Each structure stands twice: as structure tokens, then as C-alpha cells.
Amino acid sequence: MGGAPEDRSTEEIYQRLRDEDVKLTNQRRLIVRILAQCQDDHPSADELHRIVREEDPDVGLATVYRTLDLLERLDLVQTLDVGDGRTRYELATGLHQHHHLLCLQCGKIEEVDQDLLGAVEDTVEKLAGFRVVDHELKMFGVCCDCEPEEQNG
Amino acid sequence: MGGAPEDRSTEEIYQRLRDEDVKLTNQRRLIVRILAQCQDDHPSADELHRIVREEDPDVGLATVYRTLDLLERLDLVQTLDVGDGRTRYELATGLHQHHHLLCLQCGKIEEVDQDLLGAVEDTVEKLAGFRVVDHELKMFGVCCDCEPEEQNG
DNA sequence: GTTCGTGCAAAGACTTTGCATTACT
DNA sequence: AGTAATGCAAAGTCTTTGCACGAAC
């Protein structure tokens, strides 16, 4: 009956698309759904396409790009650059307090949804006379799985 | 005598290249010098190439890429992604407290060389068990030149 | 003199675009 | 039914690579 719990945010996106007078095609629905499922994987367009094709082999890569473009313009998706030459995508949280921790050893991307930068923004506004609208913070390091437990010392 | 003040950091880089047993070619010297001159422009490889060619029209784009690659591997250059599809380059400061302010109106890239994130790193280390090695902070907003002066209020 | 670096052009990777066909409203 | 979206393939960017020639040590 009526949708699993994880369908909530995808339903919101479908509704937003209806509101925007763009067509709610099967491809778009599928792409949004997969994107919601891989939320933590930060897939590239190509990776997303590969997963989408497992469910509908007829979806073209161009459609994936076009859909991601559309979603990004509507602020429903945001991009992430990890420095490997391809753009990675994730559903936008709405919050701008959304940071990434990139493990240099296993490549895992963790997220921190927390306002860590309020004070920093204030500093920048005063220091440089720069009004901050948005920010992007990436931290490179070693995640807890890769860090050998050094309880001693 | 013996070198203008702005030559200091380029001399350091030349010396580093000698120490690394790579050949100090005219092309490499030129590219380093131009890079030092455009320090604040954050040129892409192509933009850098265009400037380099004004001084030596025979330098190829591939050499620019290869030199930037080399310098990056030696931590003498670092890259910056502004989201326009090309990689931008700048001489590394040595400091990791080096952040970028991107003006959404004029596109200018300002820099903040200041340790703004010490406390944030500590928080992340405790919160996520993530040992931070490096970080990259970009702030998007409106710079002081583009912001209408609102002294009142 | 040897080795490494360069220039050129070709290839590669990612992304965008044109156009006939299909599917949504 | 009308219009927007799709799939495919071609084109467009940015970047890397192979190879013969030239420059640095």
C-alpha cells in the first residue's frame, strides 16, 4: 500500500517535477529512484547509468546527463568533484551544511551534515567583505575504518 | 642586483627541480615564471598556455600539461576546481590554510590564507573518527566590489 | 653522448548536441 | 493531438599519450 518509507523524498521530487511542468517520464522517475538508493555512493553519470540500465536497459546515457542537469537546475541535485575527472552527483539535502570527508586510502566519501562553518563564514564576511551564500568543504584524510586503532600512547 | 623580488619563489622552485633531478628546461622555467605572475588568476592549462605562447610561441599545450603535472606531483602546484569543467592551477603556498572565495557575480576568485578550520577539523576528528590530512574550502557569494554598499541599517 | 623533455598529432575520457521517434499530459 | 523527452550517434571539450626530434646535463 502506498509507498515504502524510502519513497518519501523521491515522491517529493516527483511532485516538484510536476509543479515545474516538466514531464514525469519513466526514465526520470527511475533515475531519481536510483539516485535516492545510491545516496551514499556519489555516483558519476556513467556509474548511475550503469545501475539504471540494470532496471531498464533502454535508458541512454544522454538522458541520464539531461536528467541530472534538470535536477541540478532545480536544486534537487548537487554535484561533487573528487578530482578524478568526472562529476559526481547526489540528491540535495536542502541544508547547505553538508560537507564531505574523503578517505585517501579506501576512497570512501563520508558526509557530515552539520553546521561547522557558521563562525568561519562570519570571519570571512568581516575579513574580506565577502557575503557568503554557499560553501563547499572537503576534507581529505583517513577514515575510521582505515585508521589502525591506536588506543595506547 | 641579481633578481627582482618576485623572482624569489620561482628561484626556489627552480632549485627544487634541480634537486629532483629533472631537467630545468626553458619551457619549465617559463611556465613557472608565468604561473608566479598570474598567481591570482588561477589559470587553466589552456589559459596558461596562451600566456606562455606570448613569450615563446613554440611551447606546446602538452608541455604545459606535463609541467603542471610534474609540479603538482612535487607539491609545488595545486589545483582548483571552480566547476567550469577545467582544472585551474596555482603555485602551492605550503600552507594548507588556503581557501577560496568565488564571487558569483564577477567570477573573481579571492584567497584567504588563514587557518579558519582548526576547530572544524577537531570537531570532525571527534565526530566521525576521521583523521584530517588536508582540506579544501570554497565559499560562494558576493565580493565586496559587487556588493552594493549598504552602510545604513 | 646519453637521457630526458618537447612538439605535434592522434587518441582518450567525459559531456553535450542534433535529429528522428516515442511517450507524457 | 501536441509538445516535450528520448535514444542514438556525432561532435565538442579538456586532457593524455606515442613517437621522432631536440635540448639539458
Side-chain angles (χ1 to χ4, degrees):
Chain A
M1 345 203 128
E6 69 267 25
D7 286 344
R8 190 157 37 97
S9 68
T10 66
E11 262 316 327
E12 284 168 13
I13 293 175
Y14 298 164
Q15 189 55 50
R16 177 73 193 288
L17 291 177
R18 286 187 205 98
D19 294 347
E20 290 287 334
D21 283 322
V22 299
K23 290 182 178 171
L24 197 45
T25 61
N26 286 328
Q27 290 91 329
R28 285 176 176 170
R29 249 189 296 254
L30 178 54
I31 289 165
V32 167
R33 189 151 49 77
I34 299 290
L35 209 43
Q37 281 169 19
C38 323
Q39 186 67 295
D40 297 332
D41 290 351
H42 306 274
S44 66
D46 188 63
E47 287 164 359
L48 188 57
H49 181 226
R50 212 165 305 157
I51 302 170
V52 162
R53 282 208 147 164
E54 290 172 13
E55 206 148 322
D56 180 350
D58 292 335
V59 177
L61 179 57
T63 297
V64 173
Y65 274 109
R66 280 186 285 229
T67 301
L68 289 169
D69 242 49
L70 170 67
L71 295 172
E72 195 187 352
R73 281 199 308 276
L74 298 178
D75 286 320
L76 295 169
V77 150
Q78 66 188 81
T79 62
L80 172 66
D81 172 68
V82 181
D84 64 350
R86 53 196 128 175
T87 305
R88 298 183 169 279
Y89 300 85
E90 63 188 358
L91 291 183
T93 56
L95 314 163
H96 279 181
Q97 299 88 358
H98 180 128
H99 313 298
H100 293 101
L101 310 182
L102 289 77
C103 180
L104 297 169
Q105 283 182 29
C106 66
K108 190 174 65 177
I109 305 171
E110 283 180 82
E111 310 203 354
V112 184
D113 294 314
Q114 197 122 8
D115 181 14
L116 301 170
L117 296 186
V120 174
E121 288 193 357
D122 290 348
T123 304
V124 166
E125 306 214 351
K126 273 169 199 138
L127 208 76
F130 187 95
R131 182 164 54 83
V132 178
V133 171
D134 195 6
H135 59 238
E136 184 188 320
L137 173 60
K138 286 180 285 195
M139 297 196 152
F140 306 88
V142 183
C143 75
C144 51
D145 295 340
C146 291
E147 185 76 82
E149 309 275 347
E150 293 175 17
Q151 299 287 22
N152 58 329
Chain B
M1 303 156 202
E6 70 266 25
D7 285 344
R8 192 157 36 96
S9 68
T10 64
E11 262 316 326
E12 285 169 12
I13 293 175
Y14 297 164
Q15 188 55 50
R16 177 72 193 288
L17 292 178
R18 285 186 205 101
D19 294 347
E20 290 287 335
D21 283 320
V22 299
K23 289 181 179 171
L24 197 46
T25 63
N26 285 327
Q27 290 90 331
R28 285 178 177 169
R29 249 189 297 253
L30 178 55
I31 290 165
V32 167
R33 189 150 52 76
I34 300 290
L35 207 44
Q37 281 169 19
C38 324
Q39 187 67 294
D40 296 332
D41 291 350
H42 305 277
S44 66
D46 189 62
E47 287 163 359
L48 188 57
H49 181 225
R50 212 165 304 156
I51 303 170
V52 162
R53 281 209 148 164
E54 290 172 12
E55 208 149 321
D56 179 351
D58 292 336
V59 177
L61 178 57
T63 296
V64 173
Y65 274 109
R66 281 186 285 228
T67 300
L68 289 169
D69 242 50
L70 170 67
L71 295 172
E72 195 188 351
R73 281 199 307 278
L74 298 178
D75 286 320
L76 294 169
V77 150
Q78 65 188 79
T79 63
L80 172 67
D81 172 69
V82 181
D84 64 351
R86 55 198 126 173
T87 305
R88 298 182 169 278
Y89 300 85
E90 64 187 358
L91 291 183
T93 55
L95 315 163
H96 280 181
Q97 300 87 359
H98 180 128
H99 313 300
H100 293 102
L101 310 181
L102 288 76
C103 180
L104 297 169
Q105 283 182 29
C106 67
K108 190 175 64 177
I109 304 172
E110 282 180 84
E111 312 204 352
V112 184
D113 294 314
Q114 197 121 8
D115 180 15
L116 301 170
L117 295 185
V120 174
E121 289 193 357
D122 289 347
T123 305
V124 165
E125 306 215 352
K126 274 169 199 137
L127 208 78
F130 187 95
R131 182 163 55 83
V132 178
V133 171
D134 194 6
H135 58 239
E136 183 187 321
L137 172 61
K138 285 180 285 194
M139 297 196 151
F140 306 89
V142 184
C143 75
C144 50
D145 294 340
C146 293
E147 184 76 83
E149 310 274 346
E150 292 176 18
Q151 299 287 22
N152 57 330

